[in-house]
Amino acid sequence: MEVVIHFAVMHWYLWCCIVLGYLHISCISLSSGHHLNRSTGLENWLGYSGSLVGDDSQLHDSAFIETSTWSFPLNESVSCEDLEGVGSFNTTCLLSSTHYLKSDIYIYGVGNLEILSDVSLLCPVEGCMITVNVSGNIKLGQNASIVAGSVVLATANLTMEYNSYIDSSSLGGSPPSQTSGTPVGNDGAGGGHGGRGASCLKNNKTNWGGDVYAWSTLSEPWSYGSKGGGKSTKKQYGGHGGGRVKLLVKDTLYVNGSITAEGGDGGSDGGGGSGGSIVVHAIKLKGYGTISAAGGTGWGGGGGGRISLDCYSIQEDLNITVHGGLSIGCPGNSGAAGTYFNAHLLSLKVSNDNVTTETETPLLDFSTSPLWSNVYVENNAKVLVPLVWSRVQVRGQISVYSGGSLIFGLSDYPISEFELVAEELLLSDSIIKVFGAFRVSVKMLLMWDSTMQIDGGESTVVTASVLEVRNLAVLRQNSVISSNANLALYGQGLLQLTGNGDAIKGQRLSLSLFYNVTVGPGSLLQAPLDDDASRGTVTKHLCDTQRCPIDLITPPDDCHVNYTLSFSLQICRVEDLLVNGIMKGSIIHIHRARTVIVDTDGCTEGIGKGNFLNGAGGGAGHGGKGGSGYFNGRESIGGNEYGNAILPCELGSGTEGPNESYGHVVGGGMIVMGSIQWPLLRLDLYGSLRADGESFNKSITSSDGSLVGGLGGGSGGTVLLFLQELMLLENSSLSVVGGNGGPVGGGGGGGGRIHFHWSKIGMEEEYVPVASVSGTMNKRGGAGDNDGHHGQEGTITGKSCPTGLYGIFCKECPIGTYKDVDGSDEHLCMPCPLDLLPNRANFIYKRGGVTRRSCPYKCISDKYRMPNCYTPLEELIYTFGGPWPFSVILSFILLLLALLLSTLRIKLIGSGSYHRSSSIEHHNHHRFPYLLSLSEVRGARAEETQSHVHRMYFMGPNTFREPWHLPYSPPHAIIEIVYEDAFNRFIDEINSVAAYDWWEGSVHSILSVVAYPCAWSWKHWRRRVKISRLQEFVKSEYDHSCLRSCRSRALYKGMKVGATPDLMVAYIDFFLGGDEKRLDIVSIIQKRFPMCIIFGGDGSYMAPYNLHNDTLLTNLLGQHVPATVWNRLVAGLNAQLRTVRHGSIRTALGPVVDWMNSHANPQLEFHGVKIELGWFQATASGYYQLGVVVAVGDHSLLDLHQSDTWVGTDEVMRKNVAHGRKNLKQLQHSWPYMSNSLSLKRITGGINGGLINDATLRSLDFKRDFLFPLSLLLCNTRPVGRQDTVQLLITLMLLADLSVTLLMLLQFYWISLAAFLSVLLILPLSLLSPFPAGLNALFSKEPRKASLSRVYALWNATSLSNIVSSVYIALPFSTTAHYMCKASWDIIFSYREDDKCWLLPIILFLFKSVQARFVNWHIANLEIQDFSLFCPDPDAFWAHESGL
């Protein structure tokens, strides 16, 4: 209870003290005018002069709870109670009241110190020191502050909260002795410390106020800033210098307020004070506050102070600044920046925070042990290295950024030598100035919109500046390295001038040892500089002599800087030089290059200088004589030609007027690339390489303004290239053009000299082209003005070429020429002799040119075989002596083989001879021996003939699209023996049996495309299967329910199916059952005649028309006509019908009609029988069948139209006959045409047929199909006899066909595999199948021999598609080969496979045509063995009847 009461009393007492202190401070504030920093009243009261803080607002805004003024003995530690704090420095001391001190204090303890918010510890006395050394932590609350001239804090952790500050600004004591930090004089200059103070005095040559000091303590600065200068004797000083702050923190320093040691403001009456010193030692430096040792503002701004931070990590949010103070008297020239040193990283930063200044920050020396890591000069800072000899060396990079500048030496003494050593030198929007010589050794040099300017003065004592950039040097955005003295760049990596404005310039310039030098578009390499003095220094000793300096031909092996040599710009041992910009110089020497664009300058006079006489200026001479000048009738001779065209090394000459007012013209310079010992490996030229003379464009006038003539043009210079390979690309140029003469009458300068000294010219297989020239080379002389003459052309030469090569670039002699002597003249390439060249060959290119008279050649195609350029077929032919001997030998071999095969055939199957006495019956039975009548197979007895009623034919061509079918409704002849309804059902059933399946037609369609003979065989086989199926159906499956006869239904004998041997016509024979009534039988038999007999076949080659005479017909007609007569008639009619082709039926049926009228009917009428030709059973598709109508007994042809068989009248028939042509044309539109059928008029009115006579035959229309031309090869002819001879010829043609086919395939296989396969497989199997088909036909026996021969003929015709394919392939190839061959080739006796490859297909076509004719004769001999059948005399024809 007592403790609580005691605490309440103390709390009340504390608040009373705070209130009393606040009232006391308020009274002091009112009396002092509320301005502690600059109030003289406060200064007198406290007994010191100087400001408390550098910023009015820092104390102005503080709210002091309690204040007190103390004075403590020096070096004695004060306690927490002495400061009226709570606690102890050995535990925790809380300062809750503001204290003003008059002298230094020292605080020590092992505890913590916390200055509460809005509490300050103030010692606003210049040089006053506050020292705090505690083992614990120090914390400054919000708006808390420590203010003194020197502040030293040693603690474990230091925390500065928002708006707290440690401030020694404008409280600096006296700077160290023997310094010039405070300026002398009354010009109001700023004080100096880390950077010089600014001076606004215009006539001040040094251009600075107070100087820098304390450089040696850069890493541990502990100096006060200097005062600024005054502007009058009354006020000698301006702003005070900044104080000192040292923070020793074992762990972490949090800065969320500010730590400042800034210089005081001098106002407009004095200069600003310089910044003080700040030293921080900590492990971690964090926060977002400010650390500043900036200079103060004044008439002349004060220089920045010095900051050193020794921290392991520094947060980037901190603002660290040492910029100079602003200058009121000269706003563009603030104080120089101070120094910010990172003691942990050993890096120095000089930044002016983008405050513009012209005042430098001197850097006096650099540590060598240890080396600094980095140096940064940035944000408009200006750094000066002023010593006579200085070495700037760091372990890392030297960076000059954002308007910064780094200056070496003094402009008044440009004789110093400076050395810069670093890993990287980085310049961005900055400048490096060097007064004297400059040596740089870095790994990387990067420049962005920056300048490196080396000024060697006018003294020649200054050594060369050397920049050694080992890895990478890049200039971008108008970056320039320039020197008015000698300059060298070494390196081992890349030197790149990126684009416009990037340049390296020097009095003499050497680039060496780089792997790659790239001069981008708009970039410049130049030596010497543009002024005449610089140019003359380099070229003077070469202008008056023709002696070739030895160093141009064999320069030193090393690439060290040696300016006793003749070069103005030397690029030595650079692996790749890529120049898209400009290289400009007087004498340029390049060791290795790929792309070069060069402008050069030579002499103003020289050996070939142009003359000037009374206004007439002659052009200078060099490779060509200069043009004469002409003015007012006076002529001035141009300069003479001089130098050596074989190895030129002279500068172009210029012209000079009589005095300096006329000016002068400079000749072209000299470009030397490579040397004899070290030639360039390759030179790629994309732009221009120029050593042109200068043109004179100035008009010279007299005192009265009239023209007094002009100087002549300068002569072109020299381009001397020691190299292995040149590539002059499109739109590039190599130029030594003379300059144009000036107005009026100036002569043009002579052209210069270009020489290519090829270091290595390979011969034969080792030859590599030394040059590829797509651009231009210009050696012309300059143009004269008015009457002035043009300068003569210069020279372009090359090293003498070895054998096989010629010209400047040692090209290979043209194809077809050879060169066996050394020299470069193109006339040394002699034509190769043509007598050693095969006909089908051309001279070919040989690498390195041809060096002997026997020139190499090659066949016009790789398919020909060396050395005679024959095809494989020709090699075979010429192996046997040539085309004619080969043909004879092959013919003889084929003849022997044909005889051998014929003998073998006769031995195996016998002779093909036959006896003319063979009976017609025998002939008839062997008409188609491989297909006997299906009715005959079953047998035909005599009783069947007596019971036969009617033969009902199937309609249609029996194809897969239109199979056989029977018409509905029974014919009138059988209507009494069948039930009509049952008959119609029978028709449905049998028609469904006769139809083909879809896959049968599909197979046929495929085979028709692939192999047509196979398609024909397939169709024939399916027809046989189909007729067998029909017979089986009628015989055993159908119950004959449509027949009236019970006996026929019971025995299944009332109907029979039959067909012609060629299976083109099928029919059903109807028979009586035997149980009919007698009267019915008589009436039915009387209806047999008139009888229609339909021809077999369809008029094609494979199935000619024929009248099939089976036993049933013979027996039926034998009741009226003797069998011998009828058989003779059938044989004769078939002989006439076999030559009828459906494609020409109108002309082919005429002889048949005539033969029937002349041979058949006269003989038959004797027996009461007559026959007529007719058409029957036309289908909707237009197909119809031909046949004959047989009338016997009392029936006349007129009765045919009134019979039961023919429905109609004579009037209708006559009407139709009269209008036959019209009806046929109508029928042509209503019936489509099939490929194997012809349209015939269908007579309306129910008649299903009509007669063909002379009247209707002429009115027939027909349509030929697209295969009609094949009928010329495949046609049925009359027999010719001599069967053995015909078969021998067929055998010979068959062997010849095979031989020519194999030779043709060999030929097309030689052309290409695709051509070989096209000929062989279009159509597949067709080309090679005729040979086995022919052998099969020749060696087969009866009765299939004729049919196999037709198949053989069909294969032979089908193979014509392969011949057409071969001709289609051969013609384009022959046309191409024709242009490849020479016109002088003799193709009469030399068989040519390339341009005559169509010859074998044509020969094969002829063989197949002849072969087809022989086969037709052979088939005719087989099928017609009685020549009397073709007797034109009817009596002679019927005379052989008895012989049957």
Side-chain angles (χ1 to χ4, degrees), residues 331-666:
N333 182 21
S334 65
T339 61
Y340 160 39
F341 187 77
N342 189 322
H344 182 78
L345 298 178
L346 297 178
S347 67
L348 174 64
K349 178 183 291 186
V350 182
S351 173
N352 212 34
D353 291 335
N354 293 319
V355 178
T356 305
T357 184
E358 297 178 2
T359 307
E360 300 93 353
T361 301
L363 303 183
L364 300 180
D365 59 3
F366 288 78
S367 174
T368 58
S369 180
L371 292 174
W372 290 349
S373 59
N374 303 301
V375 174
Y376 302 99
V377 180
E378 58 188 26
N379 299 328
N380 288 327
K382 292 184 179 296
V383 171
L384 172 65
V385 181
L387 301 181
V388 175
W389 184 92
S390 293
R391 177 185 178 94
V392 178
Q393 182 175 4
V394 297
R395 290 184 288 112
Q397 61 180 233
I398 296 179
S399 303
V400 187
Y401 296 151
S402 302
S405 63
L406 181 58
I407 303 170
F408 292 87
L410 303 176
S411 59
D412 293 338
Y413 304 97
I415 58 174
S416 304
E417 294 186 15
F418 301 95
E419 187 173 1
L420 188 152
V421 180
E423 289 290 307
E424 300 174 358
L425 177 57
L426 309 178
L427 304 179
S428 176
D429 188 20
S430 57
I431 183 171
I432 292 180
K433 289 184 179 180
V434 180
F435 297 98
F438 194 39
R439 294 181 178 270
V440 176
S441 178
V442 295
K443 288 184 178 179
M444 184 181 299
L445 171 61
L446 303 179
M447 298 179 64
W448 178 284
D449 192 16
S450 300
T451 301
M452 184 182 295
Q453 181 179 339
I454 303 173
D455 185 358
E458 297 180 357
S459 175
T460 59
V461 179
V462 177
T463 59
S465 296
V466 178
L467 308 182
E468 182 180 357
V469 184
R470 293 185 291 278
N471 292 344
L472 177 65
V474 178
L475 281 69
R476 298 178 68 90
Q477 293 294 321
N478 302 304
S479 297
V480 178
I481 300 176
S482 66
S483 173
N484 58 3
N486 301 329
L487 177 63
L489 274 78
Y490 289 99
Q492 300 173 359
L494 170 68
L495 170 61
Q496 182 176 17
L497 283 72
T498 306
N500 290 327
D502 299 329
I504 301 177
K505 299 188 255 186
Q507 172 72 24
R508 293 177 185 266
L509 178 61
S510 174
L511 307 178
S512 57
L513 302 179
F514 286 100
Y515 178 81
N516 179 284
V517 174
T518 300
V519 182
S523 300
L524 173 66
L525 291 179
Q526 179 178 355
L529 303 178
D530 291 327
D531 58 285
D532 293 340
S534 178
R535 184 187 306 113
T537 301
V538 178
T539 62
K540 183 177 181 180
H541 67 286
L542 294 176
C543 290
D544 299 327
T545 179
Q546 295 191 50
R547 183 182 61 84
C548 185
I550 190 63
D551 54 8
L552 291 179
I553 307 301
T554 56
D557 291 341
D558 59 21
C559 290
H560 296 159
V561 180
N562 185 354
Y563 292 104
T564 63
L565 301 178
S566 303
F567 312 122
S568 68
L569 195 162
Q570 182 184 30
I571 299 179
C572 178
R573 297 180 118 177
V574 172
E575 191 69 23
D576 292 327
L577 175 60
L578 307 177
V579 181
N580 294 316
I582 297 175
M583 293 179 62
K584 186 175 182 180
S586 296
I587 303 174
I588 300 176
H589 180 260
I590 301 174
H591 272 255
R592 293 181 177 91
R594 293 189 179 183
T595 310
V596 182
I597 308 169
V598 180
D599 289 332
T600 60
D601 296 318
C603 300
T604 56
E605 292 186 354
I607 300 173
K609 68 178 181 179
N611 301 309
F612 185 81
L613 179 62
N614 296 327
H622 183 200
K625 185 177 180 181
S628 299
Y630 189 86
F631 179 73
N632 287 341
R634 292 182 294 273
E635 184 176 6
S636 176
I637 303 300
N640 295 322
E641 178 184 348
Y642 64 93
N644 183 6
I646 301 302
L647 194 63
C649 55
E650 310 89 16
L651 294 171
S653 298
T655 59
E656 284 188 337
N659 53 58
E660 293 183 359
S661 63
Y662 280 73
H664 60 268
V665 175
V666 181

Side-chain angles (χ1 to χ4, degrees), residues 198-219:
S199 173
C200 296
L201 192 62
K202 301 299 182 182
N203 58 359
N204 187 357
K205 294 183 179 180
T206 58
N207 199 32
W208 71 79
D211 209 345
V212 297
Y213 55 89
W215 173 260
S216 60
T217 60
L218 184 69
S219 61

Side-chain angles (χ1 to χ4, degrees), residues 917-1036:
S917 58
S918 300
S919 64
I920 295 299
E921 181 67 24
H922 175 80
H923 157 72
N924 187 61
H925 282 199
H926 292 79
R927 171 67 178 84
F928 289 100
Y930 64 97
L931 280 176
L932 298 178
S933 172
L934 295 175
S935 61
E936 295 182 81
V937 172
R938 304 296 181 180
R941 298 184 298 274
E943 58 272 15
E944 290 183 350
T945 303
Q946 297 299 325
S947 62
H948 184 268
V949 177
H950 179 70
R951 176 168 286 182
M952 185 177 182
Y953 290 93
F954 283 84
M955 301 175 64
N958 194 20
T959 62
F960 297 105
R961 290 188 177 183
E962 189 176 1
W964 282 325
H965 62 279
L966 289 175
Y968 290 97
S969 298
H972 191 69
I974 64 172
I975 198 168
E976 296 181 2
I977 66 172
V978 297
Y979 298 111
E980 185 172 355
D981 293 339
F983 180 82
N984 290 335
R985 289 193 297 272
F986 166 71
I987 295 299
D988 286 334
E989 293 178 10
I990 200 168
N991 284 347
S992 64
V993 174
Y996 291 99
D997 293 329
W998 65 269
W999 58 270
E1000 295 175 296
S1002 299
V1003 172
H1004 179 265
S1005 299
I1006 294 173
L1007 292 177
S1008 297
V1009 176
V1010 176
Y1012 183 76
C1014 295
W1016 184 88
S1017 300
W1018 169 261
K1019 181 171 64 174
H1020 201 75
W1021 175 50
R1022 299 314 300 170
R1023 284 174 174 173
R1024 295 182 61 186
V1025 172
K1026 186 60 64 178
I1027 194 65
S1028 299
R1029 180 72 183 91
L1030 289 174
Q1031 288 180 332
E1032 186 68 23
F1033 174 77
V1034 172
K1035 178 181 177 182
S1036 59

